[in-house]
Amino acid sequence: MSKNTLLIKGGTIVTADLTQKADILVQDGIIKEIGKNLENPGKAEVVDASGQYVMPGGIDPHTHMELPFMGTVASEDFFSGTTAGAAGGTTMIIDFVIPSPKTSIISAYHQWREWAKKSATDYSFHVAITWWSDEVHRDMAELVQKHGVNSFKHFMAYKGAIMCDDEVLVNSFTRARELGAIATVHAENGELVAHLQKQIYDMGITGPEGHPMSRPPGVEGEAAERAIRIADVLNVPLYIVHNSAIQSLNAIQRARADGQRVFGEVLAGHLLINDSVYKSPDFEYAAAHVMSPPFRGEEHQKALWKGLQSGTLHTTATDHCCFCAPQKAAGRDDFRKIPNGTGGIEDRMGVLWHHGVNSGKLTMNEFVAVTSTNAAKIFNIYPRKGAITVGADADIIVWDAKKTRTISAKTHHQKVDFNIFEGMEVRGANTVTISQGKIVYKDGDVRTVKGVGRYIDRPAFTSHHDALKIKREVEKPVGVKRTGKKKVA
Ligand code: URQ
Ligand code: ZN
Ligand code: ZN
């Protein structure tokens, strides 16, 4: 029997589509057997899951570990960030390679691969297209065919930095379709943001309260609709990240009802934090919440939960992009200079279980779908990831639905001096986190090892694009047959 054998006994397995009382035998990082009352095949380490749930480890499809951004570098690195994720029940991240415009996307990819080598759990990368040229056109093929990249990100915001105009969107979306990749977007109209930021600053509003004022929901709605329309014309599947507003939700709902292949992501923060945070007189507190799109009013939060319940939104993420108070202070006199980003990777699973499952909004199976399985399916790594089935990677969490905890920066593992969920009491937490068949967290004891995380290849799609091909054939315009004969009146 291999030394790396684990037997998870007595638990109730909960996946996106099945709840069953059964044991799991794990060997060499893979799920080997699932069944009732499995015997210990030798001296396997036994994980007692009795009275608890056993679920696929969380997949966070949107993080930015040690991201160089707005003149500084995000404080969370790939080791500390994946460790914090493991402590909270997340066993894989999909992070972002964000090349500076006019630089090689291949060199940027290799740079991020270097940074990510310190990861403690598995990871993959979306690659952002921030400019266009024949070189980018060529290099996108190398990334898909040689480096397991099947998703390309487009920031429609951040004018003067990484913002894509329509020319880049159209070229890159077209190329993504050719390569069997999915296009993803940060949907905010960067021109409108820049215009409003200047208008608000010139009115003398320089504090963090200016941030949400410069990014009203319509700024997001316009960009979401535009990206959806471009993707429809170009026949490419689209994934909209961090939907925060009713307007982008409506855009996705309309497109999906029309049969368009559009997927939506929502952040745990946007579901639970509202825009009152920006009204605080305490600069540090308000600035700590500056991220884009901004946290919004309760009506948007209610709509986002309904979007998750109704299948308009498919995945939950955190956009974990941390900056500490001294970094945020860069914008003390000008909110436009506050580095955008907040954390959450350690708390996503707990806050979504508490506010989603305990509240009755989501079943346990739906919880697994939106925290793990859907992301695995959309980004084409299912059932290796996001599943509990024989042959899948043994990324597994044991979940105690009765365990309560109070979230705080004083106790979290995240390398940031603030927690947007500070003081929130949640019921439901992982007691054990297993990554690649090894226990990386148990009852408060973090056991992650720097550098054992693996880069996960994500193959080009066939399913999404095949469906799109059928769609295009069905819709091919029916040409009028020119017979040359004049119609007899
Ligand atoms: O826009 C993003 O997703 C990155 C730059 C993180 N920052 C943020 O405010 N969301
Ligand atoms: Zn973004
Ligand atoms: Zn992001």
Side-chain angles (χ1 to χ4, degrees):
M1 181 196 72
S2 106
K3 57 188 182 338
N4 181 10
T5 304
L6 216 51
L7 180 58
I8 304 168
K9 278 202 74 70
T12 298
I13 299 173
V14 179
T15 65
D17 42 28
L18 182 67
T19 301
Q20 61 169 329
K21 210 159 169 25
D23 302 337
I24 302 171
L25 180 67
V26 169
Q27 256 170 3
D28 301 328
I30 302 291
I31 294 175
K32 279 283 183 289
E33 193 180 350
I34 297 171
K36 297 228 182 292
N37 308 317
L38 293 186
E39 292 296 313
N40 186 333
K43 295 194 228 28
E45 182 174 1
V46 177
V47 173
D48 177 7
S50 39
Q52 299 184 71
Y53 297 116
V54 181
M55 302 189 283
I59 298 173
D60 189 340
H62 191 154
T63 63
H64 300 281
M65 306 303 176
E66 51 194 288
L67 172 70
F69 189 57
M70 294 182 72
T72 184
V73 178
S75 55
E76 192 85 76
D77 66 50
F78 279 95
F79 174 57
S80 61
T82 48
T83 293
T90 287
T91 52
M92 181 179 173
I93 62 172
I94 307 182
D95 205 282
F96 291 82
V97 174
I98 307 182
S100 302
K102 309 284 186 238
T103 66
S104 158
I105 63 176
I106 297 292
S107 315
Y109 166 78
H110 289 300
Q111 171 63 79
W112 258 265
R113 283 294 304 269
E114 268 314 299
W115 289 335
K117 279 182 177 162
K118 60 178 85 77
S119 297
T121 58
D122 289 351
Y123 57 92
S124 191
F125 285 116
H126 310 287
V127 176
I129 301 302
T130 56
W131 68 296
W132 191 254
S133 66
D134 291 347
E135 178 195 334
V136 172
H137 179 273
R138 181 200 63 214
D139 290 350
M140 285 174 75
E142 183 180 332
L143 287 171
V144 173
Q145 289 149 9
K146 295 215 181 79
H147 299 298
V149 172
N150 70 19
S151 51
F152 290 102
K153 172 76 173 291
H154 307 78
F155 289 93
M156 299 171 78
Y158 306 125
K159 181 181 180 184
I162 53 177
M163 182 178 99
C164 291
D165 62 15
D166 284 1
E167 181 183 7
V168 175
L169 292 179
V170 168
N171 280 308
S172 181
F173 279 28
T174 301
R175 189 60 169 148
R177 157 114 188 125
E178 286 165 3
L179 295 167
I182 188 168
T184 88
V185 292
H186 170 134
E188 287 184 297
N189 181 312
E191 290 294 349
L192 274 174
V193 170
H195 176 79
L196 292 173
Q197 280 182 328
K198 184 169 180 332
Q199 201 177 54
I200 288 157
Y201 184 79
D202 291 349
M203 282 162 62
I205 299 173
T206 61
E209 70 280 11
H211 180 70
M213 294 166 71
S214 64
R215 310 176 99 100
V219 161
E220 181 174 330
E222 186 280 332
E225 185 65 29
R226 179 158 40 106
I228 286 170
R229 294 288 182 179
I230 292 172
D232 189 34
V233 169
L234 298 175
N235 219 356
V236 67
L238 180 69
Y239 178 94
I240 301 184
V241 307
H242 52 45
N243 291 277
S244 74
I246 291 166
Q247 287 79 346
S248 54
L249 263 181
N250 291 344
I252 297 173
Q253 204 164 35
R254 180 205 58 75
R256 288 183 60 83
D258 192 32
Q260 189 177 341
R261 197 162 289 275
V262 180
F263 302 105
E265 173 193 279
V266 61
L267 304 186
H270 283 131
L271 285 165
L272 295 161
I273 312 285
N274 70 51
D275 56 1
S276 62
V277 294
Y278 299 116
K279 297 186 174 70
S280 167
D282 176 342
F283 169 84
E284 279 198 2
Y285 179 84
H289 290 90
V290 166
M291 61 93 60
S292 296
F295 297 115
R296 301 201 188 275
E298 309 242 328
E299 69 281 14
H300 294 282
Q301 293 177 294
K302 287 196 178 86
L304 290 171
W305 275 109
K306 292 201 175 90
L308 209 45
Q309 291 174 289
S310 62
T312 303
L313 298 173
H314 305 82
T315 63
T316 59
T318 62
D319 200 355
H320 190 84
C321 187
C322 298
F323 300 102
C324 295
Q327 294 173 288
K328 292 277 189 174
R332 183 167 285 281
D333 304 321
D334 180 349
F335 67 85
R336 297 171 297 186
K337 298 198 179 94
I338 300 173
N340 285 204
T342 52
I345 192 165
E346 186 167 350
D347 302 310
R348 175 179 66 119
M349 302 296 275
V351 300
L352 284 170
W353 180 277
H354 184 72
H355 293 281
V357 179
N358 293 347
S359 70
K361 291 190 183 77
L362 299 173
T363 66
M364 298 190 290
N365 310 95
E366 289 164 343
F367 169 84
V368 173
V370 301
T371 59
S372 181
T373 308
N374 288 353
K377 288 180 175 174
I378 293 166
F379 295 110
N380 211 19
I381 47 178
Y382 180 84
R384 177 184 180 187
K385 299 291 185 185
I388 291 188
T389 186
V390 172
D393 284 1
D395 290 357
I396 300 169
I397 54 177
V398 180
W399 191 267
D400 178 351
K402 296 178 292 302
K403 184 178 170 192
T404 59
R405 70 188 186 96
T406 302
I407 294 172
S408 174
K410 295 184 190 65
T411 51
H412 71 202
H413 297 83
Q414 297 171 147
K415 204 193 264 180
V416 63
D417 56 6
F418 192 82
N419 190 308
I420 55 172
F421 303 111
E422 185 72 34
M424 186 181 282
E425 293 209 357
V426 293
R427 191 179 72 251
N430 54 304
T431 52
V432 179
T433 302
I434 295 161
S435 165
Q436 298 182 51
K438 291 220 171 70
I439 295 175
V440 290
Y441 172 85
K442 185 170 184 180
D443 298 331
D445 174 25
V446 168
R447 302 182 188 174
T448 51
V449 175
K450 196 172 204 172
V452 301
R454 298 168 303 182
Y455 175 74
I456 301 298
D457 277 332
R458 292 177 294 115
F461 294 88
T462 51
S463 56
H464 291 324
H465 294 73
D466 293 351
L468 284 162
K469 247 199 310 280
I470 296 164
K471 179 170 179 276
R472 178 59 73 199
E473 265 125 42
V474 164
E475 288 195 346
K476 200 160 30 191
V478 180
V480 175
K481 270 201 185 50
R482 302 212 176 288
T483 57
K485 286 198 196 77
K486 280 225 179 329
K487 272 209 176 69
V488 179

